[in-house]
């Protein structure tokens, strides 16, 4: 996967160069519309080989909240501006920095909070061989995850018992059949909002 790593570093570098005006505008809007908290949301996530790293996103929630580890569309802790950023995935643009420094890849499993990796057993632990990604096959399948969770009576249970095991299965399949051109296809489908 050397080609994947080279692509990640170069593309994230040029992506940050090209998108810095948009990053600046979003940062200013967050400061103006969502005062009282940081512009960037930082959180420890599980990376390749189970190593923890700090993931960066634009803040989309109120500064102080004690909510669930899963996000549901329409919940009160998500601000109006944050909802728009999340809808168009603009809150994830700072993750380009994570890709540049090697913590993440453009394509791979979404990085989980600590605890979920402990649930992986047997062959499923091979998922930790992958760097977490900004997008991936599971991200494409569950691009409307927040809406799906909003329809459930018990969102956390549904995430842990239904979504998480299915995502693991999808990511193991991705690992087993990885190709650089498949990564490019996933990126293109993500940009244009299409399903594979």
């Amino acid at each position: 996967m050397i080609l994947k790593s080279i692509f990640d570093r170069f593309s994230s570098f040029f992506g940050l160069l090209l998108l810095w005006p948009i990053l600046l505008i979003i940062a200013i809007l967050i400061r103006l519309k969502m005062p009282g908290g940081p512009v960037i949301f930082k959180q420890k996530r599980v990376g390749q080989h189970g190593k923890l790293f700090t993931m960066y996103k634009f803040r989309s929630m109120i500064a102080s909240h004690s909510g669930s580890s899963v996000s549901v569309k329409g919940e009160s802790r998500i601000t109006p501006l944050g909802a728009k950023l999340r809808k168009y995935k603009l809150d994830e643009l700072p993750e380009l920095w994570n890709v540049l420094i090697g913590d993440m890849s453009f394509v791979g499993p979404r990085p989980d909070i600590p605890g979920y990796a402990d649930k992986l057993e047997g062959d499923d632990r091979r998922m930790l061989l992958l760097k977490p990604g900004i997008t991936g096959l599971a991200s494409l399948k569950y691009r409307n995850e927040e809406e799906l969770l909003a329809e459930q009576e018990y969102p956390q249970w549904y995430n842990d018992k239904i979504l998480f095991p299915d995502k693991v299965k999808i990511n193991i399949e991705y690992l087993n059949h990885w190709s650089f051109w498949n990564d490019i296809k996933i990126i293109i489908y993500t940009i244009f909002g299409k399903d594979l």
Side-chain angles (χ1 to χ4, degrees):
M1 294 190 176
I2 295 176
L3 185 58
K4 179 183 179 72
S5 180
I6 294 172
F7 173 83
D8 284 340
R9 296 297 178 94
F10 275 93
S11 297
S12 58
F13 176 75
F14 286 111
L16 287 167
L17 279 182
L18 290 172
L19 296 173
W20 75 262
I22 295 175
L23 295 170
L24 180 60
I25 290 169
I26 293 173
I28 292 171
L29 285 173
I30 292 173
R31 181 62 68 196
L32 293 175
K33 299 284 189 180
M34 299 162 55
V39 169
I40 298 294
F41 170 74
K42 299 185 288 186
Q43 189 177 53
K44 290 294 182 183
R45 297 290 180 101
V46 178
Q48 190 176 32
H49 307 302
K51 180 182 176 183
L52 292 181
F53 72 97
T54 301
M55 188 184 74
Y56 302 95
K57 300 177 73 171
F58 281 123
R59 181 167 64 91
S60 60
M61 297 185 179
I62 58 176
S64 51
H65 65 80
S66 55
S68 166
S69 61
V70 299
S71 300
V72 177
K73 184 180 180 181
E75 59 181 304
S76 59
R77 60 182 177 158
I78 300 175
T79 69
L81 174 60
K84 289 184 175 64
L85 295 177
R86 294 166 80 100
K87 179 179 180 180
Y88 298 105
K89 309 298 183 185
L90 295 174
D91 62 318
E92 297 180 6
L93 287 178
E95 291 170 37
L96 288 171
W97 175 253
N98 286 116
V99 176
L100 180 64
I101 63 177
D103 289 331
M104 292 178 63
S105 174
F106 272 101
V107 181
R110 285 298 296 161
D112 287 312
I113 60 172
Y116 280 95
D118 299 332
K119 300 177 182 180
L120 298 173
E121 298 179 347
D123 188 62
D124 288 348
R125 291 196 64 80
R126 293 175 57 236
M127 193 175 86
L128 297 177
L129 295 173
L130 294 164
K131 283 185 181 181
I134 294 178
T135 187
L137 289 177
S139 297
L140 288 177
K141 179 175 181 178
Y142 293 111
R143 69 169 64 254
N144 297 318
E145 182 175 328
E146 291 186 0
E147 290 89 339
L148 178 61
L149 288 170
E151 298 170 356
Q152 310 305 317
E153 184 175 1
Y154 302 106
Q156 186 72 57
W157 179 91
Y158 190 83
N159 177 76
D160 294 351
K161 301 300 182 182
I162 307 297
L163 298 188
F164 179 72
D166 191 43
K167 289 178 182 178
V168 171
K169 179 182 176 183
I170 292 169
N171 288 319
I172 292 296
E173 283 294 308
Y174 165 77
L175 175 61
N176 289 339
H177 301 98
W178 178 84
S179 76
F180 178 72
W181 299 113
N182 194 39
D183 274 9
I184 298 299
K185 183 178 179 181
I186 291 169
I187 292 170
I188 291 171
Y189 275 61
T190 299
I191 292 172
F192 290 100
K194 295 183 178 181
D195 297 323
L196 280 174

